[in-house]
C-alpha cells in the first residue's frame, strides 16, 4: 500500500498535488488523480497560444492528403473539423488566444473521447479517430511552438505526471 500511495503522490506531485489521506487506494485513487489531471490540463490549455507556422501548414496538408484516401463521410467530417479550427484562427486575427485554443482543442478531444468509448466501432470511426488524434497532436505541437516557455514547461510537467498515471492504471489492470 505504501508503494501505491507513494506512486500516486509522485505522480500528482508533478501538478503540485498529493493523494489525500482519506482517499482509499485503487479505483477511487485513480479517479481522484484523473480528475486532478483533467483540471490541470483544462487550466493549462487556457494559457497556451497558437500561431500557425510552416510546420502547422505541413501537418494540415498531410492530414488532408491522408484523409482524401478515406471514406467520403470520414473525409467530410475531417474537413469540417479542420474548417472549424481554421475559422477560429481567422476569427482570432490569424492566431488563437488561450481561450480560443482551449475551445478548439476541447471540441476535438470531445469527439476523440466519444469515438474511443464506442463499442465495436466501424472502420470509418477508427479512421476518423486516428485522423482526429493527428490533428489534435498537430494543434498541440503548434501551441508548444507558439506559447511562452514557462507555459510549455508547466505543460511538460503535467504530461510527465499523466504518463506516470497511465503506467499506474495499466499496472492495476494486470
Amino acid at each position: 500500500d505504501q508503494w501505491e500511495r507513494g506512486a500516486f503522490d509522485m505522480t500528482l506531485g508533478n501538478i503540485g498535488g498529493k493523494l489525500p489521506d482519506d482517499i482509499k487506494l485503487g479505483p477511487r485513487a485513480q479517479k481522484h488523480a484523473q480528475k486532478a489531471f483533467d483540471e490541470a490540463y483544462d487550466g493549462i490549455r487556457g494559457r497556451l497560444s497558437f500561431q500557425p507556422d510552416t510546420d502547422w501548414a505541413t501537418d494540415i496538408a498531410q492530414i488532408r492528403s491522408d484523409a482524401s484516401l478515406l471514406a467520403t463521410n470520414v473525409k467530410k467530417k475531417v474537413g469540417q473539423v479542420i474548417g472549424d479550427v481554421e475559422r477560429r484562427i481567422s476569427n482570432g486575427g490569424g492566431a488563437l488566444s488561450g481561450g480560443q485554443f482551449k475551445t478548439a482543442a476541447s471540441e476535438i478531444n470531445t469527439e476523440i473521447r466519444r469515438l474511443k468509448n464506442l463499442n465495436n466501432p466501424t472502420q470509418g470511426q477508427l479512421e476518423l479517430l486516428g485522423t482526429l488524434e493527428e490533428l489534435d497532436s498537430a494543434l498541440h505541437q503548434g501551441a508548444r511552438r507558439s506559447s511562452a516557455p514557462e507555459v510549455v514547461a508547466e505543460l511538460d510537467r503535467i504530461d510527465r505526471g499523466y504518463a506516470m498515471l497511465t503506467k499506474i492504471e495499466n499496472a492495476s489492470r494486470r
Side-chain angles (χ1 to χ4, degrees):
D1 283 357
Q2 273 185 318
W3 178 89
E4 188 177 359
R5 185 164 291 279
F8 276 108
D9 286 345
M10 186 183 309
T11 298
L12 290 166
N14 284 283
I15 56 173
K18 179 181 181 296
L19 188 64
D21 293 335
D22 64 333
I23 300 276
K24 289 186 178 189
L25 298 174
R28 288 191 64 215
Q30 289 176 10
K31 187 174 182 177
H32 173 84
Q34 184 63 57
K35 182 178 182 213
F37 277 99
D38 287 347
E39 290 171 357
Y41 276 119
D42 191 50
I44 196 71
R45 282 189 186 115
R47 294 176 45 216
L48 292 168
S49 60
F50 177 84
Q51 178 70 46
D53 57 12
T54 55
D55 288 342
W56 166 256
T58 301
D59 291 343
I60 290 301
Q62 185 63 54
I63 291 168
R64 283 185 195 273
S65 174
D66 293 347
S68 73
L69 304 173
L70 303 176
T72 302
N73 61 331
V74 176
K75 259 190 292 201
K76 182 178 177 184
K77 180 65 176 175
V78 169
Q80 289 172 342
V81 174
I82 291 173
D84 289 346
V85 172
E86 290 174 333
R87 273 187 294 288
R88 288 183 189 287
I89 293 168
S90 178
N91 292 343
L96 297 175
S97 68
Q100 294 163 328
F101 174 83
K102 181 178 173 180
T103 299
S106 292
E107 288 175 357
I108 294 168
N109 280 292
T110 296
E111 184 65 8
I112 288 172
R113 277 191 305 279
R114 183 189 73 76
L115 291 165
K116 282 184 174 182
N117 288 325
L118 291 175
N119 292 327
N120 302 315
T122 66
Q123 182 63 32
Q125 290 167 328
L126 292 172
E127 291 169 347
L128 178 59
L129 172 61
T131 305
L132 292 179
E133 286 176 332
E134 289 176 28
L135 177 60
D136 183 60
S137 176
L139 187 64
H140 279 84
Q141 290 302 317
R144 283 177 175 279
R145 292 188 299 271
S146 303
S147 297
E150 63 273 9
V151 175
V152 174
E154 185 175 340
L155 178 58
D156 288 342
R157 284 191 300 278
I158 296 169
D159 286 345
R160 272 193 306 277
Y162 191 77
M164 293 168 71
L165 177 60
T166 300
K167 289 178 182 177
I168 293 170
E169 290 173 340
N170 289 340
S172 73
R173 290 187 189 119
R174 294 181 185 160

